[in-house]
Amino acid sequence: PESVYRRLHLNEWCAPEDRLTNVDDVQACVTLDGPLEHVPGHKYAIGVDLGITNDRSVCAVMHAERAENDDERKVVQRVVLDRMEVWTPTRGNPVDLTAVEEWIALASRQYRAHVQIDPYQAVAMTQRLRNKGVSIDEFTFSQASVGRLGMALHTTIRDHRLAIPNDPELIDELVNVRLRETSPNVYRLDHDPDRHDDRAIAMALAILSLTTTSQASGPITYTDEE
């Protein structure tokens, strides 16, 4: 972030960023008309942030591809949001995790995707999905890993290497999510009490999975018969 650069390289005091990004950078990433189908040759990942009674459950299917940057000279890695599904709880009606599990199993098969999941409330679900042949890892939340999560999403949007559809709710959430500095140079995603960060976390989990070089469970493969 700009504040870290100024502190470390220019020796200037600067307050940390209060928001993950801004409207202009998010709007620059709005380049899709809608959901995308699976394309052979792309590496796909599904980020899953689970909520039951107070928070939403969100699944984000994303893939990475090569693209040119804004000056059309340097080839960079662009991350594309292919599909997003949101389950919203209501008073007296928590999220049906069985429906979420079935959606993950189907989407991972359709997109040949590796799943990165928030382990909260997901231990039994993760085991069942593994038994179905789904390539899935639980994301271990720690001070360092949460910082990587926030920075992965921040830099992808800042550098306009994210492609999303014109979804007003998604855009509003990304613009209002906070990038909170919990200790020097360590950041985490956060939100105001009346807002959410479920979509942002699901996307960040997928982005981090796509931009790291290894996956503990390896890529998922299916035959045409499956």
Side-chain angles (χ1 to χ4, degrees):
E2 178 68 17
S3 61
V4 174
Y5 175 82
R6 291 172 62 180
R7 290 202 302 265
L8 296 181
H9 297 281
L10 302 181
N11 199 28
E12 297 177 359
W13 164 248
C14 182
E17 278 77 2
D18 182 53
R19 297 293 176 184
L20 171 74
T21 184
N22 57 65
V23 174
D24 291 339
D25 282 340
V26 174
Q27 288 292 346
C29 297
V30 179
T31 57
L32 304 179
D33 294 328
L36 303 175
E37 299 299 324
H38 172 262
V39 176
H42 286 323
K43 176 184 177 183
Y44 287 88
I46 301 175
V48 181
D49 183 47
L50 291 178
I52 300 178
T53 56
N54 297 318
D55 295 319
R56 300 166 298 188
S57 286
V58 180
C59 295
V61 181
M62 307 186 74
H63 77 266
E65 63 183 26
R66 292 166 63 84
E68 292 181 341
N69 67 357
D70 292 340
D71 61 14
E72 298 183 352
R73 290 182 295 179
K74 183 179 179 182
V75 176
V76 297
Q77 185 182 51
R78 186 175 76 150
V79 186
V80 180
L81 176 62
D82 297 271
R83 189 174 299 274
M84 176 173 282
E85 193 74 12
V86 180
W87 293 264
T88 303
T90 58
R91 184 181 297 274
N93 292 291
V95 170
D96 182 0
L97 292 185
T98 300
V100 179
E101 181 177 332
E102 292 173 352
W103 193 95
I104 295 171
L106 179 60
S108 66
R109 186 176 299 275
Q110 289 178 334
Y111 287 90
R112 275 63 171 173
H114 177 79
V115 179
Q116 195 80 25
I117 191 169
D118 175 352
Y120 180 67
Q121 301 283 2
V123 176
M125 177 189 293
T126 300
Q127 186 59 52
R128 287 192 298 268
L129 288 169
R130 284 201 181 104
N131 291 338
K132 295 177 182 178
V134 175
S135 173
I136 185 169
D137 284 325
E138 296 178 356
F139 183 80
T140 302
F141 282 85
S142 65
Q143 187 178 50
S145 66
V146 168
R148 291 196 301 271
L149 203 65
M151 292 310 301
L153 183 58
H154 168 74
T155 56
T156 302
I157 297 174
R158 180 197 63 190
D159 299 338
H160 303 168
R161 293 185 293 106
L162 176 67
I164 60 174
N166 188 16
D167 180 338
E169 292 186 358
L170 173 61
I171 293 170
D172 180 72
E173 180 171 313
L174 292 176
V175 170
N176 286 284
V177 166
R178 294 185 180 276
L179 188 66
R180 185 162 60 89
E181 191 172 19
T182 57
S183 60
N185 304 331
V186 176
Y187 290 81
R188 65 168 295 162
L189 296 175
D190 205 349
H191 60 88
D192 295 331
D194 59 338
R195 292 188 175 273
H196 299 275
D197 59 5
D198 318 88
R199 290 178 173 88
I201 291 176
M203 290 176 59
L205 286 167
I207 290 170
L208 202 59
S209 178
L210 289 167
T211 54
T212 51
T213 57
S214 63
Q215 294 175 343
S217 299
I220 189 168
T221 57
Y222 294 105
T223 64
D224 291 338
E225 289 76 9
E226 291 177 296

